[in-house]
Amino acid sequence: MDQLAAISSGHLRIDLDAIGRNWSALDKISPGTLTGAVVKANAYGLGLEPVAKALSRAGAQFFFVANPEEGLMLRKALPNAHIFVLGGLWPGASDLYAAQRLMPILHSMGMLDEWLNFCVQQGEAYPAALNFDTGMNRTGFRMSDVNWVRQQMQRSGYQPQVIMSHLCCADVQNHEKNRTQLALFHSIMAHFPDTPASLANSAGLMANKANHFQLVRPGIALYGGRAISGRKNPMSPVVSLHVPILQVRDGKTGETVGYGAEYTLQRDSRIAIISLGYADGFLRSASSSNSRQGAKLAINGHLVPVLGKVSMDLVAVDVTGFGLNGPVPGEMVEVLGPTVSVDDLADAAGTIGYEILTGLKGRYHRTYFGSEIE
């Protein structure tokens, strides 16, 4: 271990082989359908370049980023990848998209007009996708725009690379919205009979083969997160995070722990103070009080509860149960790993695994491992 790792505030390990296995497992669910990979937000916080290369080695060819800046970074890492920009076409940036072979996902009349005019001026039909809103009410052409969009395609002779929509409740398997959106998407497809279609995110892919069409675009499942609520997560864990104990101290019955004095000790206790805080992405909502249980971390496979408020740099955990053989300063505490999953922590903090992963921006020594690291 190098000196930086030895004095680090924590060790974050990312298993690139697990990411590849997760992609392959999802690919097997949808035979005959292309399986893409969503790598926006720095590959959900895990590192765009190493993650994208691992996905490419596994077989992924189609990638989805949020904006053109991410697209440029991915293009450097994967010169031959097919890259879609979920955020669409940035005004005045058509020449950049074309030069870097970035495919905008067009979702407004203004974007479509600008892209078609650029293609006419250049004398080349640069590829792009069309996004339709079937119920998210976020981005996408409205259902009332479908005829207008089709007419624009017919008038210009432009053939989109793919038509898309996005499921807003796919993580709740039996939600009525899923059936409504699927039916609306079928009605859109009828206007573009020769165009490949894409609807499924991770949950949509795993929940219903009727969502698969020609291209699926998993995200959270690639990174080991739970895609469908109430169902056992079948994906391989990808991330582990361990942080050191800085101090072990005694606390007396009736004393309080942390800011706000919201946690009062109900017994004489041993408290471990660990190098972790909200500055490291460990959410303040993982705090505890006497009326609310917070997150649990783990030491040698044994769960230990957070005591009191999470502060910027420090978290207190209860290690009384270890007795005389308790942990000592320098010993590592599992924040994420075999005992505490990303979704365990998310549930305790009242959020979702996506926020936990994308928040791993802290003061950690980051290590990638796998059989084919370049």
Side-chain angles (χ1 to χ4, degrees):
M1 184 183 298
D2 62 30
Q3 186 177 20
L4 178 61
I7 63 171
S8 171
S9 293
H11 299 158
L12 177 65
R13 290 169 55 83
I14 298 165
D15 186 344
L16 297 177
D17 284 349
I19 292 174
R21 288 196 303 273
N22 286 339
W23 184 90
S24 297
L26 295 168
D27 188 49
K28 288 182 175 67
I29 296 175
S30 54
T33 296
L34 294 170
T35 303
V38 179
V39 293
K40 63 181 180 177
N42 195 31
Y44 284 48
L46 303 189
L48 179 61
E49 181 177 344
V51 167
K53 287 182 176 180
L55 288 163
S56 179
R57 289 193 295 269
Q61 301 178 55
F62 295 84
F63 295 85
F64 294 83
V65 297
N67 55 47
E69 289 86 352
E70 291 181 348
L72 294 176
M73 293 172 60
L74 181 56
R75 177 59 67 213
K76 289 180 181 178
L78 296 178
N80 297 318
H82 302 285
I83 303 173
F84 290 95
V85 179
L86 290 161
L89 178 64
W90 261 235
S94 295
D95 53 348
L96 173 67
Y97 283 68
Q100 295 295 325
R101 293 174 289 120
L102 305 178
M103 292 178 283
I105 297 176
L106 307 172
H107 48 74
S108 71
M109 295 179 182
M111 284 186 185
L112 181 57
D113 282 341
E114 183 170 345
W115 189 250
L116 292 179
N117 288 336
F118 174 77
C119 290
V120 169
Q121 292 167 7
Q122 299 299 312
E124 184 170 348
Y126 292 101
L130 302 177
N131 179 33
F132 294 88
D133 176 22
T134 55
M136 177 72 81
N137 214 9
R138 197 170 58 173
T139 61
F141 295 103
R142 300 188 69 85
M143 295 300 297
S144 57
D145 297 330
V146 173
N147 283 328
W148 179 85
V149 174
R150 181 190 60 186
Q151 291 167 7
Q152 292 295 99
M153 297 298 98
Q154 292 172 339
R155 185 179 300 116
S156 64
Y158 186 87
Q159 178 68 25
Q161 191 83 354
V162 64
I163 59 170
M164 297 173 51
S165 190
H166 190 60
L167 295 165
C168 59
C169 299
D171 58 320
V172 182
Q173 192 167 354
N174 295 317
H175 200 291
E176 178 61 30
K177 195 82 169 179
N178 297 325
R179 292 183 284 276
T180 301
Q181 286 193 265
L182 181 59
L184 288 172
F185 193 57
H186 273 290
S187 72
I188 295 167
M189 291 172 59
H191 291 274
F192 304 92
D194 300 320
T195 304
S198 178
L199 179 65
N201 55 6
S202 293
L205 188 168
M206 298 166 74
N208 188 350
K209 290 185 177 181
N211 297 326
H212 289 179
F213 301 109
Q214 286 74 44
L215 174 64
V216 294
R217 44 184 205 275
I220 188 65
L222 297 173
Y223 309 107
R226 180 180 62 216
I228 300 177
S229 301
R231 181 194 284 191
K232 180 177 172 58
N233 183 5
M235 310 314 295
S236 297
V238 169
V239 174
S240 66
L241 172 61
H242 293 77
V243 298
I245 295 173
L246 300 179
Q247 185 185 38
V248 179
R249 58 189 296 116
D250 292 316
K252 300 299 182 181
T253 303
E255 293 180 346
T256 63
V257 181
Y259 283 116
E262 293 186 7
Y263 191 95
T264 300
L265 296 174
Q266 303 299 300
R267 62 177 180 179
D268 289 352
S269 303
R270 291 284 283 169
I271 304 168
I273 308 301
I274 62 176
S275 179
L276 180 71
Y278 55 76
D280 303 300
F282 190 75
L283 298 176
R284 198 162 181 260
S285 57
S287 303
S288 74
S289 67
N290 292 105
S291 60
R292 179 191 178 279
Q293 187 177 75
K296 291 183 179 180
L297 308 184
I299 300 175
N300 296 324
H302 299 283
L303 291 172
V304 293
V306 168
L307 297 180
K309 287 276 183 69
V310 173
S311 56
M312 185 181 293
D313 311 305
L314 302 172
V315 169
V317 295
D318 188 348
V319 296
T320 310
F322 286 92
L324 298 177
N325 297 316
V328 297
E331 194 165 342
M332 302 301 282
V333 177
E334 176 192 323
V335 182
L336 296 170
T339 312
V340 183
S341 73
V342 167
D343 295 302
D344 290 334
L345 181 54
D347 290 344
T351 185
I352 54 178
Y354 302 72
E355 188 174 17
I356 299 299
L357 289 174
T358 57
L360 293 175
K361 57 186 183 299
R363 297 159 285 192
Y364 313 124
H365 180 74
R366 183 176 290 225
T367 303
Y368 294 92
F369 64 101
S371 58
E372 297 185 65
I373 293 180
E374 296 181 356

